[in-house]
Amino acid sequence: MSGQLILFGLLAAIAVVCGLCMILNDNPVRSALYLVALLFTVAMLYVTLNAAFIAAVQVIVYAGAIMVLFIFVIMLLNLGTPEEIVDHLKPQKLLGPIAGLLLIGLLASVVAAVPTGQGGQPLSNGTIGPFEIGLALYSPKNYWLFPFEIVSILLLVAAIGAVMLAKKRI
Amino acid sequence: MPPAVPLNASIPAVPLNYYLILSAILFTIGVVGVLIKRNPITIFMCIELMLNAVNITLVAFSRYQSTLTPAGAYANPRFIDGQMMVLFVFAVAAAEVAVGLGILVSIFRNKVSINVDEIDLMKG
């Protein structure tokens, strides 16, 4: 039982509990805060996987920007107070978890097929920081430069689309 | 030809399968949340949870990539590719949230209901 395993178990337990609390809570604000805690836990998991830059971006973009947007919309639309929602699809509440159990059985059977013969130990010990990411992203020798440009167009289109949707009349 | 044994084989670490199992559990929680929740904001958050579950898989595979390929293949410098894919998932998630929440705001402006079952404007 190594320290890394204990750390992973702790983080995984926090993540799963936060996820369950998120979907079992009726209050959207509380769900959002549980999701923030889960995102921080996932960022720590990235640190254990030597992905320092991804962990930082996870905290800044997900926990920082995207969740602020969620909270902002919840407050703007006054969704914070759980109302009596008329459930038109009663059986779905029952069938959803059953479908989830089936799905996790399927995924577990796939995970069980992952070869572990090589020991399943990570190879490189180098942390991948902004330097390595930048080298892979901007170097013309790599194939990530073109997707990077495409993503910039995607973000531009999304920004224009959000502005269009926010107008009084579409 | 590089040696066929991992460089830090003596360092004990978490097996790759554990990360995959955690990712599967989180993804399933997201799917169940989408199925049982009636609030569109919460459904969006469950989608974000699913994206994060997949990101865990990508980062874990990028870390363990060399041990999944036949011996010698870990000299491949592409072990960073999983993390690059995660960066692009971040960008797509940000765009998705911006547009999705814009659509929600404009729906709520025209129709006061927070139940996804009652938002059936596109039904023929």
Side-chain angles (χ1 to χ4, degrees):
Chain A
M1 195 73 169
S2 66
Q4 287 183 46
L5 209 54
I6 295 170
L7 181 64
F8 173 81
L10 201 62
L11 290 175
I14 294 173
V16 171
V17 169
C18 282
L20 286 176
C21 287
M22 187 188 106
I23 64 165
L24 295 179
N25 212 314
D26 277 339
N27 192 329
V29 178
R30 284 185 195 160
S31 286
L33 293 179
Y34 279 121
L35 184 56
V36 170
L38 191 145
L39 294 175
F40 271 105
T41 320
V42 172
M44 283 186 261
L45 279 172
Y46 290 158
V47 173
T48 66
L49 285 168
N50 282 4
F53 183 72
I54 298 290
V57 172
Q58 166 96 358
V59 171
I60 294 168
V61 173
Y62 256 113
I66 292 181
M67 291 318 292
V68 164
L69 205 58
F70 271 109
I71 301 278
F72 183 76
V73 170
I74 292 171
M75 300 292 182
L76 183 73
L77 300 175
N78 201 13
L79 297 177
T81 49
E83 291 175 29
E84 290 300 318
I85 292 180
V86 187
D87 206 345
H88 300 291
L89 297 171
K90 272 274 192 309
Q92 201 169 346
K93 279 249 193 305
L94 203 71
L95 291 174
I98 295 172
L101 283 178
L102 287 176
L103 177 64
I104 203 155
L106 186 67
L107 291 173
S109 67
V110 172
V111 169
V114 170
T116 51
Q118 289 254 40
Q121 301 292 330
L123 177 78
S124 69
N125 256 335
T127 298
I128 296 182
F131 178 77
E132 289 82 4
I133 296 278
L135 220 56
L137 199 55
Y138 299 117
S139 162
K141 280 181 288 184
N142 282 321
Y143 47 66
W144 290 112
L145 191 60
F146 184 63
F148 179 72
E149 301 292 342
I150 298 292
V151 156
S152 70
I153 295 174
L154 172 76
L155 288 175
L156 178 69
V157 169
I160 294 173
V163 171
M164 283 294 294
L165 287 169
K167 289 196 338 187
K168 269 276 185 287
R169 289 202 160 273
I170 298 173
Chain B
M1 194 69 183
V5 289
L7 296 179
N8 58 345
S10 60
I11 300 173
V14 185
L16 172 62
N17 280 1
Y18 289 15
Y19 285 101
L20 299 184
I21 290 167
L22 171 67
S23 170
I25 291 172
L26 288 181
F27 190 89
T28 309
I29 289 175
V31 170
V32 172
V34 168
L35 289 178
I36 67 173
K37 296 305 255 189
R38 298 270 74 84
N39 189 331
I41 299 270
T42 322
I43 290 176
F44 257 101
M45 288 194 273
C46 290
I47 293 173
E48 297 301 314
L49 176 59
M50 284 194 271
L51 287 173
N52 264 282
V54 175
N55 283 349
I56 293 174
T57 308
L58 286 174
V59 174
F61 271 128
S62 111
R63 174 100 165 92
Y64 290 76
Q65 186 190 36
S66 48
T67 58
L68 289 178
T69 50
Y74 65 81
N76 177 14
R78 293 290 182 202
F79 69 97
I80 203 172
D81 280 3
Q83 300 197 16
M84 305 304 296
M85 275 151 77
V86 171
L87 276 186
F88 287 105
V89 171
F90 282 164
V92 172
E96 174 237 336
V97 166
V99 175
L101 290 181
I103 290 173
L104 278 188
V105 169
S106 102
I107 285 175
F108 288 136
R109 192 179 280 151
N110 295 320
K111 186 171 181 176
V112 185
S113 167
I114 62 165
N115 192 345
V116 280
D117 294 333
E118 290 166 11
I119 304 171
D120 50 3
L121 298 171
M122 293 180 81
K123 204 194 280 180

